[in-house]
Amino acid sequence: MPIYHYVLLSFVLFVIGTAGVLLRRNALIVLMSIELQLNAGNLALLAFARSLGDVKGHVFAFFVIALAAAEAAVGLAILVGIFRTRHTVYLDEITLMKR
């Protein structure tokens, strides 16, 4: 399978993730969209690494996956804390500086 199929799929996934970050107001959907963007980047990294026959792209993608897991854990912990105090996960209604 040619590399441009993987790059095209990666681009489409990244655009969907960007649209989710920019258009949605639910914080959980925004976190999922960020994960989609990171996975799109990983797909492009792995496609180029495989076409070049280099292992460095695979190692870098592994570190991005670890970063995404940490981001998801911290993001969900913050959202749980906000939900306990504000009883909402909508970004328009979350203002921590105002009381």
Side-chain angles (χ1 to χ4, degrees):
M1 199 165 176
I3 189 172
Y4 66 85
H5 290 292
Y6 294 110
V7 174
L8 181 64
L9 177 62
S10 174
F11 176 72
V12 169
L13 290 175
F14 192 83
V15 168
I16 292 171
T18 302
V21 168
L22 295 177
L23 299 177
R24 301 302 297 236
R25 295 293 107 207
N26 189 339
L28 292 173
I29 302 294
V30 171
L31 282 176
M32 289 185 345
S33 298
I34 292 170
E35 292 291 327
L36 191 62
Q37 288 177 322
L38 289 171
N39 285 329
N42 278 340
L43 180 62
L45 272 173
L46 293 175
F48 286 121
R50 184 169 178 158
S51 71
L52 296 174
D54 194 12
V55 182
K56 293 176 187 174
H58 297 280
V59 173
F60 192 67
F62 178 74
F63 283 119
V64 172
I65 290 170
L67 173 77
E71 176 260 334
V74 171
L76 285 176
I78 290 170
L79 282 179
V80 167
I82 290 173
F83 183 77
R84 286 183 180 175
T85 59
R86 302 289 175 146
H87 301 291
T88 186
V89 291
Y90 288 101
L91 296 176
D92 292 337
E93 298 174 9
I94 299 174
T95 54
L96 293 178
M97 299 302 287
K98 294 181 182 178
R99 277 247 169 215

